Amino acid sequence: MPRTAAPPVAPPSTSRRRTSASVVLRSVLEHGPVARSTIARLTGLSPASVTDYCSRFTELGLIRESEVPRRSQGVGRPHVPLDLDETQFVVGGVHVAVPYTTVALLDLRGRVVAVRELRHDGADSIGDSAGVGASAGAGAGADAILARAADGLAALLARSPRLRCLGVGFAAGGWVDRDSGTVVEHPLLGWHEVPVRDVLGARTGLPVHVDGHARALVNAERLFGRARGSRSVLHLFVGNVVDAAFATNDEVHHGPRSQAGAIAHLPVPGGTEPCDCGRTGCLQAELSERTLCRRARRAGIVEGVNPMHVVAAAAAGDPVAARLLTERAGAVGRAARLLLDVLNPETVVVTEVGILHREDCLGALREGVGDDRAASVIPSSFPDSVLAVAGGSVALDVLYRDPLAASPEAI
């Protein structure tokens, strides 16, 4: 199997400066409005270094002084706190599922400024959510999908002419190689070795950063979500694609050619669903949204392939729909328990359509995990925007890791 070359190692002085810049901007993100003296105390950097980095970030337009100075205990010179400048920059986000692509603009706090969903059959934006993953058959090929995504981002930016885009983040399920910017394999889309970074970069004229959606959402949780501050985080994504990501000490594990987190074919004891790999009872085949919707159609609950229709039926009082959702959530909990035993993370975040919208599903998830670890398991922090956040967070993670390398095209 081909391997991508290892990235060049930065000189120690460059690496230290990048790390220092990152912790300063992260401090503003997490604590702003915040005084320079507080940043120095939080980061352990000298006041002079903090002032230097903050001056540079102000020049770049990433931070600004707060309008209202603060006095320390009411005496002395007032502190002028700093906060993120949310008026100048956004990042673009692209998430590709099977039936549709989500394009979005996110501000520097990871909040969705604008979003649009583009169906792969060429129709206009779809009117309701299709869950957290792929729920229907694909339509157009990779080139057409990426072209529509680039056009969709351009349309969103055209509506906000005062905002400049720092770059584009792309996320998808399947095997996504961050270093080469390639979707290596996505069987449900029929993609193989698609050079996403090159294609989107050429069409948008912006830097493009690419990663798998489970890893992207781990970064979103540690930057903007409830997992901020956790020393280790496991993210389990259960859509039609089922995969996982693990972060420890603020680093997401990728593995050779970014293959880490491929759990789709883990065997499920007692599983009965046939898998495309030729076996029966693989995790993805058992838990996918396609399987949920097929079971719901068989029970006469829904006619289509949108898992949110199953959620709506349960909300309307259909007991069979509620049972299908809670059974699935319990199975997700048992799968999470296996990963907990192996990785022992401090926090587990689960993105799954029932768990995002129903307390009984969250309860079934935690019951499946077991009482001893149930409190460490939480739903996604972004229930109404998870796919938009996944795409944008790929670019925001790059920004917060190396803020002084913000895109010269945008600056």
Side-chain angles (χ1 to χ4, degrees), residues 3-284:
R3 300 278 182 88
T4 54
V9 177
S13 60
T14 302
S15 179
R16 283 195 299 270
R17 183 168 175 79
R18 181 185 300 130
T19 300
S20 297
S22 175
V23 298
V24 169
L25 190 60
R26 287 278 296 273
S27 294
V28 178
L29 168 68
E30 295 175 16
H31 302 284
V34 59
R36 293 170 179 83
S37 58
T38 303
I39 296 173
R41 176 174 54 82
L42 291 169
T43 63
L45 296 171
S46 70
S49 293
V50 170
T51 296
D52 177 59
Y53 286 118
C54 290
S55 295
R56 180 64 177 139
F57 294 153
T58 302
E59 292 172 3
L60 291 173
L62 299 176
I63 67 174
R64 61 179 176 177
E65 292 185 340
S66 181
E67 295 179 359
V68 181
R70 296 179 177 177
R71 290 185 179 274
S72 176
Q73 299 180 346
V75 297
R77 293 181 60 189
H79 296 291
V80 181
L82 301 170
D83 207 351
L84 293 177
D85 188 342
E86 301 157 12
T87 65
Q88 297 195 50
F89 295 116
V90 291
V91 298
V94 176
H95 179 278
V96 176
V98 172
Y100 67 101
T101 293
T102 302
V103 295
L105 303 179
L106 276 65
D107 69 14
L108 299 188
R109 292 193 179 277
R111 297 176 299 203
V112 177
V113 175
V115 64
R116 187 180 180 192
E117 293 170 343
L118 306 170
R119 282 173 37 171
H120 295 166
D121 61 9
D124 291 334
S125 300
I126 62 178
D128 55 5
S129 172
V132 299
S135 308
D143 288 345
I145 288 172
L146 294 175
R148 290 201 75 208
D151 291 343
L153 282 175
L156 293 181
L157 287 167
R159 296 173 191 168
S160 304
R162 289 181 292 182
L163 295 174
R164 291 180 288 170
C165 189
L166 287 168
V168 178
F170 171 96
W175 178 5
V176 182
D177 181 9
R178 175 189 62 170
D179 291 338
S180 67
T182 301
V183 174
V184 181
E185 196 73 52
H186 195 310
L188 294 178
L189 283 171
W191 287 18
H192 177 71
E193 296 289 355
V194 176
V196 171
R197 183 170 63 202
D198 294 342
V199 173
L200 274 182
R203 287 188 172 274
T204 63
L206 290 165
V208 175
H209 311 283
V210 176
D211 211 343
H213 57 202
R215 293 189 292 266
L217 288 168
V218 163
N219 287 328
E221 292 289 347
R222 68 176 183 80
L223 285 170
F224 315 113
R226 289 194 292 268
R228 178 187 285 174
S230 293
R231 289 166 294 183
S232 56
V233 184
L234 168 68
H235 184 272
L236 181 58
F237 187 100
V238 185
N240 248 24
V241 173
V242 178
D243 52 15
F246 181 63
T248 182
N249 294 326
D250 212 29
E251 291 288 340
V252 178
H253 179 61
H254 283 75
R257 214 183 177 197
S258 299
Q259 283 190 275
I263 61 171
H265 298 290
L266 291 180
V268 176
T272 60
E273 291 290 336
C275 181
D276 292 339
C277 73
R279 294 179 292 180
T280 298
C282 291
L283 186 63
Q284 182 165 288

Side-chain angles (χ1 to χ4, degrees), residues 268-359:
V268 176
T272 60
E273 291 290 336
C275 181
D276 292 339
C277 73
R279 294 179 292 180
T280 298
C282 291
L283 186 63
Q284 182 165 288
E286 293 291 329
L287 298 183
S288 73
E289 288 178 352
R290 289 192 301 175
T291 300
L292 171 67
C293 290
R294 185 171 66 250
R295 291 171 176 170
R297 290 195 303 273
R298 190 182 303 151
I301 299 168
V302 299
E303 296 181 356
V305 292
N306 188 335
M308 285 302 297
H309 294 169
V310 185
V311 175
D318 190 311
V320 179
R323 177 178 58 80
L324 288 175
L325 290 169
T326 54
E327 287 179 351
R328 183 180 190 234
V332 171
R334 292 189 292 275
R337 184 173 61 195
L338 295 174
L339 297 173
L340 272 162
D341 289 342
V342 174
L343 298 171
N344 193 31
E346 183 177 328
T347 303
V348 180
V349 182
V350 178
T351 298
E352 188 272 340
V353 65
I355 293 160
L356 293 180
H357 296 283
R358 294 182 60 88
E359 286 295 324

